[in-house]
Amino acid sequence: MIIPSSTLDDMLFPMTADIYYATTVQQDYGNVSKTWVFDRTVNCSIISDLSSRGFSGELKTKGTDFIYDSNAFFRTKEDIRKKSNGMYFPITAIAITNIKDPAGNDVWINGQNLINSANVVKTKYEVKTIVPTFDYNHNLRHFRIFISKSQVQRWEQ
């Protein structure tokens, strides 16, 4: 009998993504600036919000401009509200990027910046909600997270 080398978690969370946390500083004149700091890479599974619909749901118009909205359902065993050092952050201070498939290929890239950059620019996603999921014995199984493409793709604000 051959025993598989992968675990159930490898099959449930075959992708990876990078987690960033924001630190905010209020300047002398009251304006607030955010600095995004990389914390860790997590194993995950991501399904596009449009996997069962057409692409047209991501495109909207505002005046003469097109707005591209990209939403996805993100699943991981790790509580991304908690930084590696144990400190908790609100969902408004968490960003997800650098999403890769099981082969290590970039999945979502920011096409808006491809003309201005020699490197691939990963799409920055904001966390909209985090819902813990439990098994039949009420043990925590994983977290379901709804993410949305950030309207501000710059990392320094």
Side-chain angles (χ1 to χ4, degrees):
M1 178 177 183
I2 297 176
I3 299 174
S5 61
S6 63
T7 65
L8 183 59
D9 283 350
D10 292 338
M11 291 183 281
L12 293 176
F13 308 106
M15 303 172 81
T16 60
D18 291 344
I19 308 298
Y20 283 75
Y21 296 95
T23 56
T24 56
V25 176
Q26 188 166 5
Q27 306 297 329
D28 293 337
Y29 294 106
N31 56 330
V32 176
S33 64
K34 275 186 185 178
T35 303
W36 292 94
V37 180
F38 170 76
D39 184 61
R40 68 186 182 278
T41 300
V42 297
N43 291 331
C44 61
S45 174
I46 302 170
I47 300 171
S48 172
D49 185 26
L50 296 174
S51 59
S52 62
R53 301 186 321 216
F55 180 72
S56 62
E58 292 187 355
L59 292 174
K60 296 178 176 57
T61 58
K62 183 177 182 182
T64 57
D65 296 330
F66 279 108
I67 298 173
Y68 173 69
D69 287 328
S70 177
N71 300 319
F73 299 102
F74 184 92
R75 186 175 61 178
T76 184
K77 286 192 76 148
E78 296 189 42
D79 186 354
I80 65 168
R81 297 170 298 181
K82 186 166 59 171
K83 199 172 174 179
S84 295
N85 65 8
M87 184 175 171
Y88 281 90
F89 280 76
I91 62 172
T92 55
I94 304 169
I96 298 172
T97 190
N98 199 22
I99 300 168
K100 294 184 182 273
D101 68 10
N105 300 312
D106 294 315
V107 179
W108 282 281
I109 59 173
N110 186 356
Q112 299 165 333
N113 294 337
L114 288 177
I115 297 171
N116 302 327
S117 176
N119 298 324
V120 173
V121 179
K122 280 62 169 191
T123 302
K124 179 172 121 184
Y125 283 90
E126 298 173 352
V127 175
K128 296 300 182 185
T129 188
I130 297 177
V131 179
T133 302
F134 301 92
D135 66 14
Y136 296 112
N137 294 320
H138 301 287
N139 297 311
L140 183 63
R141 286 180 50 191
H142 61 269
F143 294 89
R144 293 179 298 147
I145 304 163
F146 182 69
I147 59 175
S148 182
K149 178 182 171 273
S150 177
Q151 294 301 319
V152 178
Q153 287 294 307
R154 293 178 304 138
W155 286 94
E156 61 284 334
Q157 299 175 347

